[in-house]
Amino acid sequence: MNMKKMLALLLALAMVVALAACGGSSAQPAAEPAATEAPAEVAPESVPVEKTEIIVFAAASMTETLTQIKDLYEADHPEITITYNFDSSGTLKTQIQEGADCDLFISAGQKQMNQLDINASADVNTEGLDFVLADSRLNLLENKVVLAVPDGNPKGLESFDQLAEALKNGDVFMAMGNSDVPVGQYTQKILKYYELNEEDLANAGLITYGTNVKEVTTQVSEASVDCGVVYCTDAFSAGLTVADSATAEMCGQVIYPASVLKTSAHPAEAQAFLDYLLTEPAMSVFESVGFSPVA
């Protein structure tokens, strides 16, 4: 009996040890949860720059130069966009008077600016118009009136003196601006200087007209006339031959006044652009075609 009890005890003890060994060796440490990556930061959407539009009414003779200056200015001022309306100064004056949106007016003659300026003589501002912001008005540029001829100069014109003689003899066909166009008004002064009657010349078929200086320039370029009276800047831009330049005695100084308008929706921005037109980068563009600062 003692032997049997001993064997049973040993067997039970062996089973306990085996079970303990199996249970301990199979345990594995719990896996740590995988690290969660931080969400990538989302870049904020770029906010478009809100642009302010400046509307500039300018004489047709400034088309090429102001178009270049627009590119320069907008590159440095992405918040500004410039919209131009180019035409004869008389047409622009009428559009302003009739309520067209305009922030800045640049005329090719003092007359059209004076017609909008309440501080000008009542002899010129006959309607008592009050559009010019007085503190902003200035004389921006000076131009020259010239006698331009087509390629080959078919009439061999070399001076205004020679043109005057050819007109008296009925031997030339000339283009000039209408009477409401500054370049036409300067031409009228030249005709009076030579004591020529414009109406008689027109009735004789010796004069044809353009509604702005660009139309006169085109007539000369296409050789549909023997000559035309234009600005030196337009002759340069069109590649025309200049036979002569008019003196101040013949037609006076050719001054381009500029002013912010009282009706401007953005007077501060318009003034900033006008100030820029007086700077060296802008003036270099003007001078490259024949404009000059006002002496």
Side-chain angles (χ1 to χ4, degrees):
M1 292 293 295
N2 290 337
M3 182 62 69
K4 288 181 178 180
K5 288 181 178 181
M6 182 64 72
L7 289 172
L9 182 60
L10 290 173
L11 181 59
L13 183 61
M15 291 177 66
V16 170
V17 172
L19 288 171
C22 290
S25 63
S26 63
Q28 296 292 332
E32 294 183 3
T36 303
E37 293 184 5
E41 291 187 7
V42 179
E45 293 184 6
S46 58
V47 179
V49 176
E50 186 175 348
K51 291 181 176 290
T52 298
E53 181 185 30
I54 301 172
I55 301 174
V56 180
F57 281 27
S61 51
M62 306 184 78
T63 301
E64 292 81 10
T65 49
L66 283 181
T67 299
Q68 283 185 255
I69 291 171
K70 166 187 166 76
D71 294 338
L72 295 174
Y73 193 77
E74 289 183 348
D76 290 338
H77 300 81
E79 77 283 4
I80 299 293
T81 182
I82 299 169
T83 299
Y84 289 126
N85 177 24
F86 295 111
D87 210 321
S88 73
S89 299
T91 297
L92 298 176
K93 173 261 176 185
T94 299
Q95 291 173 353
I96 291 169
Q97 179 181 352
E98 292 177 348
D101 291 336
C102 177
D103 297 297
L104 176 63
F105 178 38
I106 309 175
S107 172
Q110 298 283 13
K111 178 180 179 180
Q112 289 73 24
M113 187 67 74
N114 286 337
Q115 288 173 332
L116 297 173
D117 191 347
I118 195 64
N119 294 314
S121 168
D123 293 339
V124 181
N125 186 357
T126 57
E127 299 172 87
L129 300 177
D130 188 13
F131 285 86
V132 171
L133 191 62
D135 292 342
S136 72
R137 180 172 175 172
L138 53 83
N139 291 330
L140 179 62
L141 296 165
E142 183 172 359
N143 208 340
K144 297 292 183 185
V145 172
V146 300
L147 176 62
V149 296
D151 287 344
N153 192 2
K155 292 294 183 178
L157 296 171
E158 296 180 354
S159 68
F160 277 105
D161 290 348
Q162 200 173 348
L163 170 64
E165 287 301 315
L167 287 170
K168 290 176 182 177
N169 296 331
D171 192 33
V172 71
F173 187 37
M174 179 186 79
M176 62 178 282
N178 288 338
S179 60
D180 66 336
V181 179
V183 73
Q185 293 160 3
Y186 292 123
T187 308
Q188 288 177 323
K189 291 180 180 180
I190 293 171
L191 294 176
K192 289 180 181 178
Y193 175 82
Y194 285 105
E195 299 181 349
L196 293 167
N197 187 293
E198 178 189 352
E199 185 177 356
D200 289 345
L201 295 173
N203 289 337
L206 301 177
I207 295 178
T208 185
Y209 294 90
T211 61
N212 58 51
V213 71
K214 293 299 182 188
E215 287 191 8
V216 180
T217 303
T218 298
Q219 292 180 68
V220 179
S221 297
E222 295 176 348
S224 58
V225 293
D226 298 318
C227 64
V229 180
V230 299
Y231 298 119
C232 72
T233 52
D234 293 281
F236 178 89
S237 297
L240 298 178
T241 300
V242 172
D244 196 11
S245 296
T247 64
E249 182 184 7
M250 293 163 64
C251 65
Q253 268 188 296
V254 183
I255 303 297
Y256 283 51
S259 176
V260 176
L261 298 186
K262 288 184 176 181
T263 53
S264 169
H266 307 287
E269 291 84 355
Q271 182 65 59
F273 181 60
L274 177 54
D275 292 342
Y276 178 79
L277 296 180
L278 296 169
T279 65
E280 191 277 333
M283 200 57 67
S284 293
V285 175
F286 288 132
E287 291 177 337
S288 69
V289 301
F291 282 114
S292 61
V294 179

